[in-house]
Amino acid sequence: MIRSLLPVIEVVDNFPHTPSSQSYVPFHLTLADFQHGLPPLGLLRQDVLREMQTARGIWDFEESTGKPDETGDFHSEVICVYFKDELVKKGKEGISKAMAEVVGKWREEGKFPGPLAGWRNELYTIYASPKSSGLGYNSPSTPLMLGPGTFKNVAFNLERAACALFGLATFGVHMTAYEGEGWDMKVWVPRRSKTKATWPGRLDNSVAGGITAGSTPIETMIKECDEEASLPEEFVKKRLQNCGVATYFYITDDGFLQPEVEYIYDLPLPPSASPEYIKPKPHDDEVESFALLTIPELIEALHSGDMKPNCGLIYVDFLIRHGLITPENEPNFLEISWRMRRTLQVAMPGI
């Protein structure tokens, strides 16, 4: 009997495709964005919503009285959270400052220790719908595109660890370095350092990292190749292949929301006997070691539970793109395929 790789996808794409409308509250840049049916910045849990309601001068809350209960009483509920108009008028710089202050205060007070314990001092870019009424207050000199992969519809920047509190989309790059072709192919698979704040000691993609504010996917990929795998910039630029994106919606073990977009790359390495050959090796303290796995060994690693969840999804995508996982040998081929490209229901980069 064929052992399906669908469980590898289910571990990381575990947010319901039709969530209860009562479970999460949409978080918008402006009330008009909500009223016009634009995709939200993110989705809010009820405990985060309650904490936001105690903060002053940042957000407003749209309420609905709903339907009466059996006693005839109406009970209001928040149906949307959005930034106060005066803050929106300060543009992304003003919103970024306000958001930094509130999440920093929550961290100092020990609130939401799950996500905020992984504080990185790294900023991620948060996007609003390109049609958002609140984007007009950003600098008029800002071009439509700031560079490849960065766009005008930036709402604000936020500490990486805090993004899951608000259900905000985050973006990363993942690369698979490999040798050979077909079933004779071998893939370089690193093991994360045991000192990593997240998923210590787990297997990972050959190179991966988050895209920080102001960086493009390709810039991030080249930087991470050097930092994590000792692969020189010119070597990478010559061979790196862009392979599209993967999307999935992850709920952390403590219930926070992480809609994620990963830009995918392949790095076919020259033959090991070639004078141009360079094998990946640890450079910084994020990677413990690299192993060169055969395709059967890689598939066994995917089934083992020893893989960082989102990295497993990237390897499954790699195996499909290289014709190693097919409708003939994977009984859940269609579900796997569409779940790696799902619509995330939150705002994305655009022009």
Side-chain angles (χ1 to χ4, degrees):
M1 182 177 178
I2 296 173
R3 190 177 180 188
S4 176
L5 287 166
L6 180 58
V8 177
I9 307 303
E10 290 175 327
V11 167
V12 65
D13 183 47
N14 58 357
F15 183 74
H17 285 247
T18 54
S20 167
S21 61
Q22 306 299 315
S23 301
Y24 305 98
V25 175
F27 179 27
H28 282 272
L29 190 57
T30 69
L31 178 58
D33 294 351
F34 171 70
Q35 293 170 334
H36 292 151
L38 299 181
L41 303 168
L43 299 172
L44 302 171
R45 295 187 351 169
Q46 293 296 321
D47 57 344
V48 177
L49 171 61
R50 288 191 294 271
E51 202 61 48
M52 294 171 76
Q53 289 174 311
T54 69
R56 296 184 179 277
I58 302 178
W59 301 291
D60 278 325
F61 305 86
E62 183 74 357
E63 295 187 347
S64 170
T65 55
K67 297 180 180 179
D69 60 21
E70 59 272 13
T71 67
D73 293 332
F74 286 85
H75 299 278
S76 63
E77 62 179 6
V78 175
I79 57 173
C80 170
V81 179
Y82 56 98
F83 288 98
K84 288 185 174 293
D85 288 346
E86 55 267 31
L87 184 55
V88 172
K89 291 177 181 178
K90 295 181 180 179
K92 62 178 180 286
E93 291 81 8
I95 298 175
S96 298
K97 182 176 183 293
M99 290 292 290
E101 290 173 353
V102 73
V103 298
K105 182 173 180 288
W106 289 351
R107 182 192 181 204
E108 291 173 358
E109 294 173 347
K111 294 171 180 174
F112 308 115
L116 297 184
W119 197 274
R120 305 286 192 91
N121 289 314
E122 293 179 0
L123 294 178
Y124 273 1
T125 299
I126 309 304
Y127 296 93
S129 166
K131 298 179 181 178
S132 171
S133 63
L135 293 175
Y137 296 102
N138 287 336
S139 170
S141 63
T142 300
L144 286 181
M145 295 189 71
L146 306 175
T150 58
F151 300 86
K152 71 168 186 177
N153 59 320
V154 176
F156 56 92
N157 297 325
L158 183 65
E159 158 62 35
R160 173 177 182 168
C163 292
L165 292 179
F166 305 96
L168 303 167
T170 59
F171 303 82
V173 293
H174 287 246
M175 180 270 280
T176 303
Y178 66 97
E179 303 180 13
E181 295 292 338
W183 282 97
D184 294 328
M185 183 187 297
K186 294 182 179 180
V187 176
W188 283 101
V189 179
R191 186 170 293 280
R192 295 163 68 85
S193 169
K194 293 183 176 61
T195 62
K196 288 279 289 182
T198 56
W199 308 103
R202 293 288 192 95
L203 298 178
D204 206 325
N205 291 131
S206 304
V207 174
I211 302 174
T212 54
S215 297
T216 65
I218 189 63
E219 289 170 347
T220 304
M221 189 76 265
I222 292 171
K223 175 179 72 72
E224 295 291 343
C225 281
D226 174 51
E227 292 179 357
E228 294 188 354
S230 305
L231 296 172
E233 179 176 342
E234 291 306 314
F235 178 87
V236 172
K237 284 183 174 180
K238 183 177 179 180
R239 295 168 174 82
L240 192 66
Q241 299 174 355
N242 186 307
C243 301
V245 298
T247 62
Y248 51 88
F249 206 137
Y250 181 57
I251 305 179
T252 67
D253 288 343
D254 43 4
F256 291 96
L257 306 184
Q258 292 184 195
E260 298 192 336
V261 177
E262 308 294 1
Y263 293 86
I264 304 172
Y265 298 86
D266 281 356
L267 187 70
L269 298 177
S272 57
S274 166
E276 296 184 342
Y277 179 76
I278 300 176
K279 71 176 183 179
K281 59 183 180 180
H283 187 185
D284 58 19
D285 59 358
E286 295 191 6
V287 176
E288 181 179 284
S289 61
F290 279 91
L292 188 60
L293 302 187
T294 65
I295 295 304
E297 288 171 338
L298 175 61
I299 292 174
E300 182 58 35
L302 290 171
H303 286 302
S304 71
D306 194 26
M307 187 81 65
K308 182 172 178 276
N310 64 338
C311 297
L313 180 147
I314 301 301
Y315 280 129
V316 172
D317 177 78
F318 175 85
L319 294 170
I320 290 175
R321 289 188 290 100
H322 287 268
L324 304 175
I325 299 298
T326 68
E328 289 69 38
N329 63 20
E330 171 50 67
N332 295 299
F333 186 85
L334 289 178
E335 183 174 355
I336 287 173
S337 297
W338 64 254
R339 287 185 68 166
M340 295 190 297
R341 303 288 188 278
R342 71 178 286 179
T343 301
L344 297 179
Q345 306 171 46
V346 295
M348 291 284 116
I351 56 174

